[in-house]
């Protein structure tokens, strides 16, 4: 219970710096709605008439563990404007991340949000890499109750180094921070990036690149 209270406190903290990236709302809330005939377009979504808003517009549950039976051994349950329409214009979102033993949330970036992560169970090796030319790695082993921040736009990762399942929650400073998983984007793009170009960029044999492209394209399609 204390872990969850800490997690929600961190989500509240994340909202304090959210306005640096998402536009500040000019009304109490703007519940996203898919019907343009009965709404006002604000920040990428149409707003429901406030008189029609209901509690369910501001609610979503992450009490159930995600399925980690996949190649990377992790599952990210997003809680953004797509799951909670009431988050529209509020500049904050969250995720629950479940990790199987030795599972990982592979290197990725959030182009529109800083992330603050708190470990609820298990032990994680986490880190991020700064931009060119330094490409400096900042890394830390986190245990239950520990907190770590991943700055906006930087490549980062989490790896469960324990023999048991791990769980973390994170707040992000955007209602829809986006995610770009590096390997999927580079080797699993549709259509595929020219393998000769990637071979030179990554200093790999073209055959290796083509094998990676076949694997990631198949996993993602």
């Amino acid at each position: 219970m204390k872990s969850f209270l800490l997690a929600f406190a961190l989500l509240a903290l994340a909202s304090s710096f959210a306005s640096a990236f998402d536009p500040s709302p000019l009304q109490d809330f703007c519940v996203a709605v898919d019907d343009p005939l009965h709404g006002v377009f604000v920040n990428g979504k149409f707003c429901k008439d406030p008189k029609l808003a209901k509690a369910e517009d501001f609610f979503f549950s992450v009490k159930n563990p995600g399925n980690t039976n996949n190649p990377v051994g992790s599952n990210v349950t997003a809680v953004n404007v797509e799951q909670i329409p009431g988050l529209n214009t509020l500049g904050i979102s969250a995720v629950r991340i479940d990790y199987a033993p030795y599972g990982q949330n592979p290197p990725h970036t959030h182009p529109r949000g800083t992330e603050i992560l708190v470990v609820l169970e298990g032990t994680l090796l986490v880190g991020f890499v700064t931009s060119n030319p330094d490409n400096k790695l900042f890394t830390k082993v986190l245990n239950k109750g520990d907190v770590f921040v991943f700055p906006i736009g930087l490549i980062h990762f989490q790896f469960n180094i324990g023999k048991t399942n791990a769980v973390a929650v994170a707040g992000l400073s955007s209602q829809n921070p986006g995610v770009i998983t590096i390997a999927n984007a580079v080797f699993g793009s549709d259509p595929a990036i020219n393998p000769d170009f990637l071979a030179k960029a990554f200093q790999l044999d073209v055959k290796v690149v083509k094998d990676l492209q076949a694997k990631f394209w198949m996993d993602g399609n």
Side-chain angles (χ1 to χ4, degrees):
M1 184 63 180
K2 290 183 178 179
S3 296
F4 278 96
L5 290 175
L6 174 60
F8 282 110
L10 289 171
L11 297 183
L13 175 63
S15 68
S16 66
F17 52 76
S19 60
F21 306 115
D22 281 359
S24 298
L26 299 178
Q27 63 281 328
D28 289 340
F29 54 80
C30 172
V31 176
V33 63
D34 293 327
D35 182 5
L37 298 179
H38 298 89
V40 178
F41 192 75
V42 177
N43 199 29
K45 294 287 184 180
F46 286 93
C47 297
K48 178 187 290 188
D49 185 336
K51 295 178 182 178
L52 301 178
K54 50 190 178 181
E56 285 74 13
D57 293 326
F58 303 91
F59 171 80
F60 187 76
S61 177
V62 293
K63 64 181 179 181
N64 294 323
N67 183 7
T68 58
N69 185 23
N70 55 62
V72 296
S74 71
N75 184 282
V76 179
T77 303
V79 187
N80 57 42
V81 70
E82 299 302 327
Q83 287 75 39
I84 301 181
L87 279 176
N88 195 37
T89 75
L90 298 185
I92 187 173
S93 60
V95 294
R96 169 181 172 146
I97 314 170
D98 292 277
Y99 312 83
Y102 307 111
Q104 63 174 274
N105 190 8
H108 63 282
T109 133
H110 302 292
R112 297 182 293 275
T114 290
E115 176 179 347
I116 183 167
L117 177 139
V118 56
V119 179
L120 300 183
E121 298 291 344
T123 302
L124 300 178
L125 172 66
V126 306
F128 66 85
V129 180
T130 63
S131 54
N132 298 350
D134 295 336
N135 300 129
K136 184 176 180 179
L137 172 65
F138 289 81
T139 187
K140 186 81 173 172
V141 173
L142 305 183
N143 295 297
K144 182 177 179 178
D146 289 342
V147 182
F148 200 80
V149 173
F150 305 107
I152 184 173
L154 297 186
I155 294 173
H156 59 283
F157 60 87
Q158 302 108 36
F159 175 49
N160 180 8
I161 59 176
K163 297 180 180 179
T164 60
N165 293 336
V167 183
V169 295
L172 297 108
S173 61
S174 170
Q175 69 180 40
N176 193 8
V179 59
I180 301 170
T181 305
I182 307 304
N184 298 65
V186 173
F187 298 110
S189 66
D190 186 13
I193 300 173
N194 187 306
D196 294 315
F197 170 77
L198 290 180
K200 186 171 183 178
F202 286 90
Q203 301 178 44
L204 295 172
D205 185 272
V206 175
K207 184 179 184 304
V208 173
V209 172
K210 289 182 178 179
D211 287 344
L212 286 169
Q213 287 181 318
K215 177 176 179 56
F216 279 95
W217 193 91
M218 182 174 61
D219 288 345
N221 293 274

